[in-house]
């Protein structure tokens, strides 16, 4: 059966790291809207040019652009057997658009994992994060350093700090999360709607291994 999952939570909760591991283990595509948007910016596409300003400020890219981008990605053949959505939906408008698409195809979401952690943990994770712009691998200066300083273990790329991981932008991203994304927890967790009861909260304060164990347990249930 096709496995369709959503990873929800504030920036810095570890969604991306866990999503990469789980998607590889289950052989489903990891669909990260942040990664796709960064690739569009890097390629200098029309979408990238439109998205760039919002991303630089730590704001959300408008729903119509993101929804159309995700629709194109989910229509690719590799998503036929399921997918892991990381960082999408991020607004009620995006959730509604996704639900309309699923209904059209007679499909459902299997589970929504909500990665939760207090702000001080999120800020520490984001400020120490380093990423590989070539293969999207994530590192952390203290908790998950690369074998060689500044060099990606996986592809040898030169690690960078994301511009939106700078303190000022991080504060705005957390504000935007609380204002626009947090309500999705109620949407997927509450009773009474078609999407209700899909949500499992994952305590994301621990190590990468501890969080991965919690993810595995929640999928067994
Ligand atoms: P992320 O890598 O998930 O932290 O995303 C980086 C940035 O890309 C966000 O701060 C937004 O500007 C943009 N972005 C990623 N996903 C979405 C989305 N679902 N809706 C709107 N903007 C998004």
């Amino acid at each position: 059966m096709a496995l369709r999952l959503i990873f929800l939570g504030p920036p810095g909760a570890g969604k991306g790291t866990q999503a990469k591991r789980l998607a590889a283990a289950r052989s489903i595509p990891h669909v990260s809207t942040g990664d796709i948007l960064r690739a569009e910016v890097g390629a200098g596409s029309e979408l990238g040019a439109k998205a760039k300003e919002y991303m630089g400020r730590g704001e959300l890219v408008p729903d119509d652009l993101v929804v159309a981008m995700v629709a194109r990605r989910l229509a690719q053949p590799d998503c036929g057997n399921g997918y892991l959505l990381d960082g999408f939906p991020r607004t009620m408008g995006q959730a509604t658009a996704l639900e309309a698409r699923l209904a059209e195809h007679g499909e459902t979401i299997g589970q929504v994992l909500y990665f939760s952690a207090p702000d001080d943990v999120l800020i520490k994770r984001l400020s120490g994060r380093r990423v590989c712009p070539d293969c999207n691998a994530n590192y952390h200066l203290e908790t998950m350093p690369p074998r060689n300083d500044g060099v990606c273990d996986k592809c040898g790329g030169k690690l960078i700090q994301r511009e939106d991981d700078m303190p000022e932008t991080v504060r705005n991203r957390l504000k935007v999360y609380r204002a626009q994304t947090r309500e999705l927890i109620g949407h997927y967790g509450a009773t009474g709607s078609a999407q209700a009861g899909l949500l499992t909260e994952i305590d994301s304060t621990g190590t990468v291994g501890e969080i991965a164990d919690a993810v595995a347990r929640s999928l067994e249930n």
Side-chain angles (χ1 to χ4, degrees):
M1 217 179 83
L3 180 64
R4 293 185 202 87
L5 300 170
I6 294 174
F7 277 17
L8 183 70
K15 297 186 299 297
T17 301
Q18 298 298 330
K20 284 190 188 81
R21 290 169 72 122
L22 184 66
R26 301 289 178 115
S27 301
I28 52 174
H30 168 214
V31 178
S32 156
T33 43
D35 284 351
I36 303 174
L37 286 166
R38 277 184 290 279
E40 295 282 346
V41 172
S45 70
E46 200 180 316
L47 170 59
K50 286 182 187 152
K52 195 176 172 180
E53 301 295 313
Y54 297 97
M55 294 171 78
R57 288 195 297 263
E59 284 166 17
L60 296 185
V61 175
D63 280 357
D64 55 339
L65 297 178
V66 177
V67 165
M69 179 184 92
V70 170
R72 284 194 296 277
R73 180 65 188 90
L74 298 188
Q76 304 277 312
D78 66 332
C79 289
N81 199 29
Y83 44 78
L84 195 170
L85 286 171
D86 166 15
F88 180 93
R90 248 170 159 110
T91 63
M92 274 305 291
Q94 292 177 14
T96 306
L98 175 64
E99 279 143 36
R101 187 186 193 283
L102 289 164
E104 224 172 84
H105 292 79
E107 296 170 349
T108 51
I109 291 292
Q111 229 171 314
V112 180
L113 302 193
Y114 160 46
F115 293 78
S116 68
D119 275 11
D120 57 329
V121 171
L122 302 175
I123 290 167
K124 207 163 162 224
R125 288 228 185 99
L126 292 169
S127 62
R129 174 158 73 179
R130 296 295 181 271
V131 299
C132 176
D134 299 331
C135 76
N136 291 322
N138 275 320
Y139 298 88
H140 190 280
L141 292 180
E142 286 167 28
T143 57
M144 216 176 22
R147 279 193 293 274
N148 297 312
D149 262 5
V151 180
C152 179
D153 292 349
K154 298 195 171 75
C155 77
K158 190 172 176 302
L159 302 183
I160 57 160
Q161 181 168 29
R162 269 170 55 174
E163 221 175 285
D164 61 349
D165 280 346
M166 303 294 175
E168 191 58 27
T169 317
V170 161
R171 272 194 291 279
N172 198 38
R173 286 165 69 203
L174 291 172
K175 219 162 84 189
V176 165
Y177 169 77
R178 281 190 283 270
Q180 291 176 268
T181 306
R182 201 166 50 175
E183 65 179 314
L184 293 178
I185 298 164
H187 178 66
Y188 291 113
T191 52
S193 85
Q195 301 303 312
L198 293 179
L199 192 90
T200 308
E201 181 168 352
I202 304 285
D203 175 0
S204 306
T205 46
T207 63
V208 170
E210 285 164 353
I211 304 170
D213 289 344
V215 168
R217 277 196 304 278
S218 84
L219 293 175
E220 276 163 20
N221 293 332

